[in-house]
Amino acid sequence: MLDHVFISVSDLDRSIAFYTAALTPLGITQRVDYDGKDGPPGHPDLKGFGKNDRIFFWLRPGIVHGGAAHVGFVANSRAEVDAAYTAAIAGGATDNGKPGARLHYDPRYYAANVLDPDGYSLEFTYKNWQH
């Protein structure tokens, strides 16, 4: 299991607004702002997102390599997948796969795919056998 992921974003305020909207339907509503001055020299400021007292997804200002990352977020239902997709599109994402079954993986695999404002590939995924 992963503990955390950092991605660099070109516009921190835009990305905070985007991810706040897109992740809220998944229950990812906790936020942490980490001041880089509290870390070792050169540590960037970080903006964290999480739930259940676990902050696991972090944004940092920097050079964007949008196509270099794909991040899948767990949804607890098909309705959560749909809601996250809708919120992401409303927040400026580009469609990269409308909500539906991903039969090429498994008939029970339900997901939606978007590209965030920096071009990162995001997936909102419900796999009923994992719940």
Side-chain angles (χ1 to χ4, degrees):
M1 178 180 291
L2 295 174
D3 182 69
H4 61 274
V5 173
F6 288 14
I7 63 170
S8 296
V9 297
S10 62
D11 181 330
L12 197 55
D13 291 334
R14 177 187 70 183
S15 292
I16 290 167
F18 172 79
Y19 281 101
T20 297
L23 299 179
T24 293
L26 304 176
I28 302 171
T29 57
Q30 290 178 303
R31 290 261 301 107
V32 169
D33 293 334
Y34 178 80
D35 189 334
K37 293 182 291 191
D38 293 337
H43 197 292
D45 291 339
L46 300 171
K47 306 299 182 180
F49 296 82
K51 69 190 263 186
N52 301 326
D53 297 321
R54 267 194 76 235
I55 305 300
F56 52 86
F57 184 71
W58 295 88
L59 305 176
R60 63 181 172 203
I63 298 170
V64 172
H65 300 285
H70 173 84
V71 180
F73 291 95
V74 174
N76 289 310
S77 67
R78 289 178 175 218
E80 279 191 8
V81 169
D82 296 347
Y85 173 85
T86 299
I89 294 296
T94 302
D95 171 60
N96 197 31
K98 295 193 181 330
R102 300 299 188 252
L103 299 176
H104 50 280
Y105 295 129
D106 186 286
R108 302 166 296 168
Y109 191 125
Y110 188 85
N113 299 77
V114 300
L115 300 176
D116 87 347
D118 282 309
Y120 290 110
S121 173
L122 307 178
E123 184 172 356
F124 310 115
T125 307
Y126 175 63
K127 301 172 183 174
N128 68 354
W129 68 90
Q130 293 181 344
H131 294 272

